[in-house]
Amino acid sequence: MTQKTDTQNRLKQVLAHLKSLGKRLTPQRIAIIKAIIDHPGHPTAEQIHQAILPHYPTVSLATVYKTINLLKAADEILDLEFHDYGSRYDARRPHPHPHLICTRCGVIMDTELADIETLTDGLARKAGFSASSFRLDIFGLCPKCTQK
Amino acid sequence: MTQKTDTQNRLKQVLAHLKSLGKRLTPQRIAIIKAIIDHPGHPTAEQIHQAILPHYPTVSLATVYKTINLLKAADEILDLEFHDYGSRYDARRPHPHPHLICTRCGVIMDTELADIETLTDGLARKAGFSASSFRLDIFGLCPKCTQK
DNA sequence: GTCGCTGCAAAGACTTTGCAACCCG
DNA sequence: CGGGTTGCAAAGTCTTTGCAGCGAC
């Protein structure tokens, strides 16, 4: 219930932002963005495409990529580029946050670390950098795979 | 001087490890590994290849990739996979460490953070993960690009 | 009605693979 | 000498791009 209204609000938020940027809200875009936000995990472009096909059988994978790039330009999506697990997207929480990746089953979990930006900013400043973003991936075994 | 013996020692260390794994030390491999270690920055596969060609004109890019994968399997190289800046390699310091990446000029700098593994291990444990590795990239502007 | 967007197919960048010849140990 | 390694070319994966037609505003 709360879950549902959350994703609905997030969808409205993203669509409003795109509109304010002068972008057109085509049915394809709305369907793609909805699919990304509704996905419980961190879907690949292919998975997003598959989720939409039942509703819009003519939507092409190219349009999915174009929409993802649109969202990236608007800072409304997080693009996790893995060579081993493909590019994964997160439009629910576009703000950078650490991820835990299971090297056995490939599951990706979100985490939070309150002072992470203080830490990365400090590291950057020491070297004369001005930090604007970060990415922290922690690889290991998830609870299920640890047991086995 | 010290710099030179450092890279020489590192080269010997890597070669000894490969030998202990039963791998053959071909001239190509030695040249490739030396080129990666001698490179002051974080070279691409292409840059490694170019660095070797004057000495071994017949070495193919495929062999460079194969050797890189050999080093990865032996945990003797760090593979920084960027979509925007290509895959970059670091055979000097194969142990994971944070990197600073300039989003304007593309320079990649090494950093150290003493308690980083305590931090990542803690984050992982909270979620029931057992961490084995990590990657921390901090994006921003390098000192030179900040000035401009 | 305009001009951005879509869908198709083709191109593109990067990396891996198949295979015959080669050569390290 | 045997089997790992090399070099070439071809294949493979993922993503982007060109372009004609379409449709959101």
Side-chain angles (χ1 to χ4, degrees):
Chain A
M1 205 60 159
T2 307
Q3 175 72 23
K4 190 169 186 181
T5 55
D6 276 358
T7 61
Q8 283 178 346
N9 288 338
R10 175 75 188 124
L11 178 60
K12 286 180 186 173
Q13 183 181 31
V14 174
L15 295 180
H17 187 195
L18 292 183
K19 196 167 192 176
S20 78
L21 294 174
K23 302 299 176 185
R24 293 187 184 165
L25 303 184
T26 65
Q28 291 95 327
R29 282 187 176 167
I30 296 172
I32 291 166
I33 296 167
K34 187 175 186 317
I36 302 175
I37 293 176
D38 281 349
H39 196 286
H42 296 75
T44 63
E46 188 60 44
Q47 288 172 333
I48 297 164
H49 189 215
Q50 290 300 321
I52 292 160
L53 281 183
H55 309 292
Y56 292 84
T58 63
V59 168
S60 68
L61 187 54
T63 298
V64 173
Y65 277 111
K66 285 171 189 168
T67 302
I68 288 169
N69 284 334
L70 184 72
L71 294 173
K72 280 163 79 170
D75 274 323
E76 290 289 359
I77 198 170
L78 213 55
D79 182 0
L80 300 176
E81 302 168 331
F82 297 104
H83 277 213
D84 295 351
Y85 313 100
S87 269
R88 308 302 203 84
Y89 304 96
D90 186 347
R92 294 185 177 193
R93 301 165 29 160
H95 201 71
H97 53 273
H99 289 89
L100 297 167
I101 299 101
C102 180
T103 52
R104 186 172 297 174
C105 71
V107 73
I108 300 174
M109 285 183 59
D110 296 301
T111 63
E112 286 299 341
L113 186 58
D115 49 353
I116 177 75
E117 303 211 311
T118 309
L119 194 142
T120 55
D121 285 354
L123 253 185
R125 202 171 304 122
K126 268 191 207 166
F129 266 65
S130 57
S132 59
S133 179
F134 76 89
R135 175 162 171 190
L136 173 55
D137 294 333
I138 302 168
F139 301 93
L141 293 178
C142 72
K144 284 187 182 176
C145 289
T146 302
Q147 292 173 3
K148 293 169 190 172
Chain B
M1 204 64 158
T2 308
Q3 176 71 24
K4 187 168 185 180
T5 53
D6 275 358
T7 62
Q8 283 177 347
N9 287 338
R10 176 74 188 126
L11 178 60
K12 284 180 187 172
Q13 184 182 29
V14 174
L15 294 180
H17 186 193
L18 292 183
K19 195 166 191 174
S20 79
L21 295 174
K23 302 299 175 183
R24 290 186 187 167
L25 304 183
T26 64
Q28 292 95 325
R29 283 185 176 169
I30 296 171
I32 292 167
I33 296 167
K34 188 174 185 313
I36 302 176
I37 293 176
D38 282 348
H39 196 285
H42 297 75
T44 63
E46 187 61 44
Q47 287 172 333
I48 297 164
H49 189 216
Q50 290 300 319
I52 292 159
L53 281 183
H55 309 292
Y56 291 84
T58 64
V59 168
S60 68
L61 187 54
T63 298
V64 174
Y65 277 112
K66 284 170 187 166
T67 302
I68 288 169
N69 284 335
L70 183 73
L71 293 173
K72 281 164 77 171
D75 274 320
E76 290 289 358
I77 197 170
L78 212 54
D79 182 0
L80 299 176
E81 303 168 332
F82 296 104
H83 277 212
D84 296 350
Y85 315 100
S87 267
R88 309 299 205 84
Y89 303 96
D90 186 348
R92 293 184 176 192
R93 304 166 34 170
H95 200 69
H97 53 274
H99 289 88
L100 297 167
I101 298 103
C102 181
T103 51
R104 186 173 296 174
C105 73
V107 72
I108 300 175
M109 287 184 58
D110 295 300
T111 64
E112 286 299 342
L113 185 58
D115 48 354
I116 176 74
E117 302 212 311
T118 310
L119 194 143
T120 55
D121 284 354
L123 253 185
R125 201 170 305 120
K126 268 191 209 167
F129 266 66
S130 57
S132 59
S133 180
F134 76 90
R135 176 162 171 191
L136 174 54
D137 294 334
I138 302 168
F139 301 93
L141 294 177
C142 72
K144 284 187 183 176
C145 289
T146 303
Q147 291 173 4
K148 295 171 189 171

